[in-house]
């Protein structure tokens, strides 16, 4: 059974940084496309970032502020979030999919999901 466990969320002030981590177990990590999504109260789930073998992709609202990376030896994907804004407040979810990089921005076909970690940015 594949498990994804996120950590690193918290309460910060606007302008601060946070780094989220997601540890994957139960499957060969390096073969997965990994993504981060977020969902704020009353809003739809939003694509944040994705990383494949050597490619990355970002949602428009986080470009130039967030960086996704992975450490295949540690089975971990990271999301470095800089210059945080109140509108970044949401539950952040780590997800993995077995194929189709062209759809990495689409939450629908991800195969595995974490339980989420909350990020709150105060103004």
């Amino acid at each position: 059974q594949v498990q994804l466990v996120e950590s690193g969320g918290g309460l910060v002030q606007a302008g601060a940084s946070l780094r989220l981590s997601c540890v994957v177990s139960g499957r060969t990590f390096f073969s997965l496309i990994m993504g981060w999504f977020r969902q704020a109260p009353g809003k739809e789930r939003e694509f944040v970032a994705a990383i494949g073998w050597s490619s990355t992709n970002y949602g428009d609202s986080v470009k130039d502020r967030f960086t996704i990376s992975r450490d295949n030896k540690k089975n971990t994907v990271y999301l470095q979030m800089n210059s945080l804004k109140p509108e970044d407040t949401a539950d952040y979810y780590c997800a993995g999919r077995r194929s189709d990089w062209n759809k990495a921005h689409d939450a629908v076909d991800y195969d595995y999901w974490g339980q989420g970690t909350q990020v709150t940015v105060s103004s």
Side-chain angles (χ1 to χ4, degrees), residues 13-104:
Q13 290 188 330
S17 297
L18 276 177
R19 188 176 79 157
L20 305 183
S21 300
C22 172
V23 180
V24 180
S25 61
R27 182 178 173 89
T28 305
F29 174 73
F30 76 86
S31 67
L32 293 175
I33 296 167
M34 299 300 301
W36 285 97
F37 293 81
R38 67 186 183 186
Q39 188 165 19
K43 295 188 177 181
E44 293 186 354
R45 190 162 292 191
E46 177 187 12
F47 170 69
V48 175
I51 186 166
W53 183 252
S54 61
S55 299
T56 58
N57 189 18
Y58 294 93
D60 289 339
S61 62
V62 306
K63 279 180 182 177
D64 300 325
R65 297 190 298 124
F66 291 10
T67 302
I68 189 171
S69 62
R70 65 192 298 162
D71 185 335
N72 290 335
K73 292 182 179 180
K74 295 183 178 179
N75 287 5
T76 302
V77 61
Y78 303 99
L79 184 68
Q80 178 66 44
M81 306 186 294
N82 298 331
S83 303
L84 282 162
K85 304 175 181 180
E87 50 263 45
D88 294 318
T89 295
D91 291 325
Y92 283 71
Y93 297 89
C94 171
R97 62 188 296 151
R98 294 186 290 263
S99 63
D100 204 346
W101 172 250
N102 290 330
K103 294 184 178 179

